[in-house]
Amino acid sequence: MNRTRSRTWLALAVVAAVYVWAFYGLPAASFKETAGEVTGNIVSGLFHPDWDFVYLPDGEDLLRGLLDTLAIAALGTFVSAVIGVPLAFLAASNQFKRKWYSWPGKAALSFLRTFPEIVMALLFIVAVGPGAFAGVLALGLHSVGMLSKLYSESIENMETGAMEALTATGANRIQTIRFAVIPQILPEFLSYTLYRFEINVRSAAILGAIGAGGIGTPLIFALSTRNWDRVGIILLGIIVTVTIIDAISGYLRKKLV
Amino acid sequence: MKTSTLPPIPKPPSRIKSYLTFALIVLLLWSSGVKTGADFLKLADGLPNIGRLLGEMVPPDWSYFSKITDAMWETIRMAVAGTTFGAALAIPIALLSARNVARSPFLYYPARFILNLVRTVPDLLLAAVFVAIFGIGPWAGIFALTLFSFGLIAKLTYESVEAIDPGPLEAMTAVGANKLQWIHFGVVPQVTGPFVSYFLYTFEVNVRAAAVLGLVGAGGIGLFYERTLGLLKYDKTSSIILFTLAVVLIIDFITVKVREKWL
């Protein structure tokens, strides 16, 4: 009783210390005097969006920006699935005789997960130049971290019954994989891939902020030129697109699993 | 004439649907490739660049660590503040979104609609908007993280609230508790654990997010990426990356331990 109580007090003291440290070190909140005005402008931009920007006959418009974003997300997800499947078998502990053989694979995946995708995009921009392709590569490599981890977990949790049954009927290794392993893991793999696609759509929208293609570029440009109606239509475009993608992908995932 | 009494062999299910799906996916990926100008020859050409870049990144400039520690502390402070504000805002809306607490669809559908709306805009774009509003500095980042954490924590929490055991709630109703007492004694004790767990999880996510918010001027260590990459000081960039990885891993380790031990 006494011990749990002193532990509670200790925990509270630690939390209090963290907060004192955090807020004492932050600069006092000081806002530009135009803050209210700009907020008003952005809100009014959301309600009076620049509809003309939706489609411009020549070049950078909303639809093309959004399509670019979706294309980056789709291709990035595909790249990460292609890299992720073989890596998943290397990171699944039940694929080896000794458990720790899977540790290097697991460590590599956790490194990829921690490495921020936007920093990866910065590095790929140095390598292949600015543009959507750098975004694809960054998303593709970063998503492997999460996607392959989920794949490997589903391999680890696989039922062995069906495999044993097929082996008992005299099926060879390839037939076992075709009729026992793939039917079991495929729905989960597809479901995870769709889920990652939803996340990647959001990430792809960000990448434009550093010049890696997609809808982020016109948004940053509109913000810096104070074109609030255009900011409004771009934000609306992102909200609508993400909502639709989430709805479709959620429906498909429900059907899959 | 031979007549069989056996039922006919069932036809295998049509494969057309799978072929169509497959064709659709290939078409989707191919058009995405055209749209993004994906060119793996370009990647092959770029590989030496990547190699050179990685070569210049080692060894990292260890002396640069002392220059970026302040920015790193600011990053963590932003994550603490943003997560806390977001969690505080999330509590009322999570209760309003839960079907078993709010009862009326006129309450929980609008609340969920707001939550879904907030969660569609990615954090870095929120930060860019807040920088335009409040000016460059950590507070723009804190507000972006607040809004982002609010959406995430509220969604996870309302799903936990909907999954709680109805027994204590019925007991509270039976003894005539008013709505606040009902929430305090019936709901809160059951969701405190998950809530703290979601709080810590969001904090982990926010530390990672805060580390890049500086790219749009919203404070923290992200500012230094552009500074060092712009000056082609890749050894300094790699010290930022290593420092960030170390801090993220330490914070993940602490929060995982806290969750395992106390929750």
Side-chain angles (χ1 to χ4, degrees), chain B residues 58-95:
Chain B
V58 273
D61 182 355
W62 301 110
S63 64
Y64 199 56
F65 272 56
S66 57
K67 283 224 176 94
I68 50 177
T69 35
D70 279 343
M72 184 51 93
W73 299 147
E74 186 175 83
T75 307
I76 302 173
R77 286 181 171 123
M78 283 162 59
V80 171
T83 317
T84 310
F85 295 152
L89 290 175
I91 294 171
I93 202 107
L95 290 172

Side-chain angles (χ1 to χ4, degrees), chain B residues 5-21:
Chain B
T5 51
L6 287 172
I9 297 169
K11 275 193 198 145
S14 162
R15 287 270 177 85
I16 292 178
K17 214 174 139 191
S18 343
Y19 290 143
L20 276 180
T21 315

Side-chain angles (χ1 to χ4, degrees), chain B residues 23-57:
Chain B
L24 193 72
I25 290 175
V26 170
L27 187 73
L28 204 74
L29 289 173
W30 180 74
S31 49
S32 300
V34 172
K35 187 90 184 106
T36 54
D39 183 354
F40 287 91
L41 284 178
K42 203 157 85 182
L43 176 63
D45 283 346
L47 276 179
N49 279 340
I50 296 184
R52 202 159 42 231
L53 183 69
L54 291 177
E56 281 180 45
M57 288 180 104

Side-chain angles (χ1 to χ4, degrees), chain A residues 90-106 156:
Chain A
L90 286 179
S93 55
N94 61 346
Q95 295 297 310
F96 297 101
K97 290 212 177 76
R98 290 198 171 86
K99 232 182 178 167
W100 59 266
Y101 284 4
S102 67
W103 288 357
K106 283 193 203 300
E156 283 173 2

Side-chain angles (χ1 to χ4, degrees), chain A residues 31-173:
Chain A
F31 306 126
K32 291 197 292 191
E33 56 275 22
T34 53
E37 195 191 323
V38 174
T39 312
N41 286 336
I42 290 181
V43 171
S44 103
L46 278 172
F47 288 102
H48 309 94
D50 176 7
W51 293 111
D52 293 338
F53 184 63
V54 173
Y55 178 77
L56 298 172
D58 49 337
E60 300 287 302
D61 57 15
L62 181 72
L63 283 179
R64 268 171 251 193
L66 288 172
L67 269 182
D68 240 8
T69 306
L70 290 181
I72 294 172
L75 214 57
T77 312
F78 175 70
V79 169
S80 62
V82 169
I83 308 175
V85 171
L87 262 180
F89 283 92
L90 286 179
S93 55
N94 61 346
Q95 295 297 310
F96 297 101
K97 290 212 177 76
R98 290 198 171 86
K99 232 182 178 167
W100 59 266
Y101 284 4
S102 67
W103 288 357
K106 283 193 203 300
L109 293 183
S110 115
F111 175 77
L112 286 177
R113 272 202 306 281
T114 322
F115 203 107
E117 58 213 327
I118 200 134
V119 177
M120 255 179 213
L122 285 171
L123 299 180
F124 277 117
I125 284 177
V126 176
V128 298
F133 189 46
V136 170
L137 295 172
L139 276 190
L141 194 56
H142 175 79
S143 319
V144 169
M146 183 189 115
L147 208 48
S148 193
K149 176 177 192 255
L150 292 173
Y151 290 166
S152 75
E153 278 167 5
S154 96
I155 294 171
E156 283 173 2
N157 295 328
M158 201 168 54
E159 291 278 338
T160 51
M163 283 169 74
E164 281 164 18
L166 275 176
T167 315
T169 59
N172 63 29
R173 177 84 184 143

Side-chain angles (χ1 to χ4, degrees), chain A residues 7 19 21 27 127 133 202, chain B residues 49-50 77 84 119 139 262:
Chain A
R7 251 177 65 168
Y19 276 112
W21 172 80
F133 189 46
R202 291 172 167 82
Chain B
N49 279 340
I50 296 184
R77 286 181 171 123
T84 310
R119 285 186 313 116
W139 283 94
W262 279 294

